């Protein structure tokens, strides 16, 4: 069987770009299955990496180039992954790729917030795609669900925690009494923070993300610089946490987009959140997004909102969506081939309650 090789280029080999390489390497067979191949070797090939650095010693060091014109001219490259960060030149590079009839997949919130509408239109004109699932919520699928799964609803409200770095910091401040700066340096080391973490701390990153989501939900171009209330976490103190705790609250940085009649309220600010509530339990780098639809009511999306592999998961899934030619078939073989473990091999721990009831422990 001939394995079809799809060539991609990665623009920006930082935390997310390297994560894309890792995900492709680790999940090659699963990725091939999604593409309809059975070969063990990954059939998505990173042909080029555009970066200023050389990455000497990295297995893909020979793919690194600074020549974007060469990538654009290479007709065998069908998808460009833009994980550069920053609005420019990421916007210009994405535009050029789409005009060269290459689909673009991005994790870049700044570009999507500022120019997403233009790039989507250029993509459509050129018969290719501009995909940005990774731009909001890291590994959480939220863009696709918003675009596809609420069509029977009017989306009334989207609210939640959209920045992993600040949620990590607030969690450390609350649970370990750690100062903001110290928690930020850990978040940086873990690859959660922006190149300039001011965007995280000041709430700008959350603002971009809520605008991207609200833009889809409300069918409008909503750039973040039109939001009137963007408050970050720099004013939140250890004393605030103590005082909030006495009232039964914790503090979370929330982004909110809500329809009020035929107008929209958008804001980013630290909020008091009732302890014991779902949002109060969202800690560390995790994000949670509550979408309220007119028919479905509240639906919650939860997962890791930042970091190399979770974000790369969303990027690679977008790449696969572009490249896959037909939906993966569900095989009935699993019923016969020993795939299902017998219950005596589950190994679940149980606990017996005082009344004799036995439960599995979760
Ligand atoms: N700095 C961002 C965050 C990265 O912490 O959420 C993911 O968009």
């Amino acid at each position: 069987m001939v394995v079809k090789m799809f060539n991609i280029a990665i623009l920006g080999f930082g935390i997310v770009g390297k994560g894309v390489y890792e995900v492709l390497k680790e999940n090659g067979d699963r990725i091939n299955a999604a593409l309809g191949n059975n070969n063990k070797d990954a059939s998505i090939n990173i042909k080029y990496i555009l970066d200023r650095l050389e990455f000497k010693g990295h297995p893909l060091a020979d793919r690194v180039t600074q020549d974007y014109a060469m990538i654009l001219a290479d007709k065998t490259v069908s998808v460009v992954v833009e994980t550069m960060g920053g609005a420019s030149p990421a916007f210009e590079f994405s535009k050029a790729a789409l005009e060269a009839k290459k689909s673009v997949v991005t994790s870049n919130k700044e570009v999507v917030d500022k120019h997403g509408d233009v790039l989507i239109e250029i993509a459509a004109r050129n018969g290719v795609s501009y995909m940005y699932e990774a731009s909001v919520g890291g590994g959480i699928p939220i863009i696709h669900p918003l675009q596809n799964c609420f069509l029977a609803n009017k989306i009334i409200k989207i609210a939640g925690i959209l920045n992993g770095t600040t949620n990590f910091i607030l969690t450390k401040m609350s649970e370990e009494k750690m100062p903001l700066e110290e928690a930020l340096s850990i978040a940086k080391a873990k690859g959660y923070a922006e190149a300039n973490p001011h965007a995280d701390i000041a709430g700008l990153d959350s603002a971009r993300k809520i605008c991207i989501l609200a833009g889809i939900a409300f069918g409008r171009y909503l750039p973040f610089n039109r939001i009137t209330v963007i408050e970050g976490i720099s004013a939140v103190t250890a004393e605030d946490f103590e005082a909030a705790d006495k009232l039964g609250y914790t503090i979370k940085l929330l982004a909110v987009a809500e329809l009020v009649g035929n107008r929209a309220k958008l804001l980013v600010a630290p909020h008091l959140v009732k302890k014991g509530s779902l949002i109060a339990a969202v800690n560390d780098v995790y994000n949670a997004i509550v979408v309220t639809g007119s028919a479905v009511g509240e639906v919650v999306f939860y997962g890791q909102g930042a970091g190399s592999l979770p974000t790369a998961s969303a990027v690679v899934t977008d790449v696969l969506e572009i490249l896959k030619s037909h939906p993966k078939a569900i095989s009935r073989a699993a019923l016969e081939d020993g795939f299902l473990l017998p219950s005596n091999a589950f190994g679940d721990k149980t606990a017996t309650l005082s009344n004799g009831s036995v439960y599995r422990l979760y």
Side-chain angles (χ1 to χ4, degrees):
M1 178 189 164
V2 181
V3 175
K4 195 163 181 279
M5 186 68 85
F6 297 99
N7 289 322
I8 68 168
I10 299 178
L11 314 185
F13 206 47
I15 285 158
V16 182
K18 287 204 187 91
V20 169
Y21 160 71
E22 292 294 334
V23 168
L24 287 173
K25 192 173 64 148
E26 292 306 316
N27 301 330
D29 44 359
R30 163 152 284 276
I31 286 164
N32 279 356
L35 291 170
N37 294 329
N38 294 312
N39 191 291
K40 217 158 64 47
D41 298 318
S43 56
I44 295 179
N45 173 46
I46 302 170
K47 190 165 181 183
Y48 303 105
I49 293 168
L50 186 81
D51 204 290
R52 275 195 290 260
L53 304 178
E54 289 181 21
F55 301 100
K56 280 203 178 106
H58 190 280
L60 295 191
D62 61 334
R63 323 281 167 94
V64 179
T65 177
Q66 300 188 349
D67 185 354
Y68 190 44
M70 177 176 71
I71 297 174
L72 289 177
D74 187 336
K75 297 248 179 296
T76 74
V77 172
S78 46
V79 180
V80 167
V81 169
E82 186 272 295
T83 47
M84 306 176 75
S88 183
F91 165 65
E92 291 79 7
F93 282 9
S94 300
K95 183 169 176 282
L98 296 169
E99 284 168 346
K101 307 213 180 303
K102 301 179 192 309
S103 290
V104 173
V105 172
T106 188
S107 57
N108 189 327
K109 299 89 36 128
E110 257 188 273
V111 174
V112 177
D113 169 65
K114 224 174 186 171
H115 307 291
D117 60 326
V118 172
L119 292 172
I120 289 164
E121 202 212 295
I122 296 173
R125 224 186 301 133
N126 285 280
V128 290
S129 307
Y130 183 68
M131 309 269 285
Y132 52 99
E133 181 62 69
S135 66
V136 182
I140 306 171
I142 180 65
I143 304 284
H144 282 71
L146 268 187
Q147 287 170 330
N148 299 302
C149 307
F150 293 90
L151 294 176
N153 289 263
K154 178 178 186 179
I155 296 175
I156 301 159
K157 186 172 176 181
I158 303 171
I161 296 169
L162 291 181
N163 182 270
T165 301
T166 46
N167 202 46
F168 180 85
I169 293 170
L170 292 176
T171 304
K172 290 282 180 202
M173 287 174 75
S174 159
E175 292 185 355
E176 298 174 31
K177 314 263 176 277
M178 191 182 278
L180 189 153
E181 283 305 328
E182 191 183 338
L184 173 59
S185 61
I186 301 174
K188 279 189 201 163
K190 286 179 175 283
Y192 301 155
E194 296 300 296
N196 178 358
H198 172 75
D200 297 300
I201 302 295
L204 311 181
D205 183 75
S206 295
R208 290 190 175 105
K209 289 167 175 169
I210 195 68
C211 281
I212 293 170
L213 299 183
I216 298 167
F218 304 153
R220 306 257 176 167
Y221 172 61
L222 293 168
F224 94 101
N225 57 12
R226 298 291 293 274
I227 300 189
T228 47
V229 176
I230 304 179
E231 289 168 23
I233 62 161
S234 46
V236 179
T237 62
E239 294 72 42
D240 291 346
F241 274 106
E242 276 170 31
D245 186 58
K246 287 194 185 119
L247 296 174
Y249 290 96
T250 188
I251 300 166
K252 294 288 182 190
L253 182 67
L254 299 186
V256 181
E258 187 174 6
L259 283 183
V260 182
N262 55 4
R263 308 184 69 186
K265 168 182 153 189
L266 269 86
L267 86 152
V268 173
H271 283 66
L272 291 178
V273 176
K274 205 83 185 138
K275 288 203 158 180
S277 70
L278 202 135
I279 292 292
V282 177
N283 285 324
D284 298 316
V285 74
Y286 283 81
N287 286 188
I289 306 148
V290 185
V291 178
T292 310
S294 54
V296 72
E298 284 190 355
V299 178
V300 183
F301 297 84
Y302 171 81
Q304 294 185 63
S308 180
L309 295 183
T311 312
S313 159
V315 171
V316 174
T317 304
D318 271 356
V319 173
L320 283 170
E321 188 170 326
I322 292 164
L323 296 179
K324 75 175 185 219
S325 49
H326 48 79
K328 188 184 160 200
I330 303 291
S331 167
R332 289 197 172 197
L335 290 177
E336 285 84 32
D337 68 359
F339 180 71
L340 292 177
L341 268 181
S343 54
N344 60 5
F346 281 8
D348 291 346
K349 290 201 173 65
T350 57
T352 307
L353 302 180
S354 58
N355 62 0
S357 300
V358 180
Y359 283 86
R360 284 191 163 81
L361 283 168
Y362 182 66

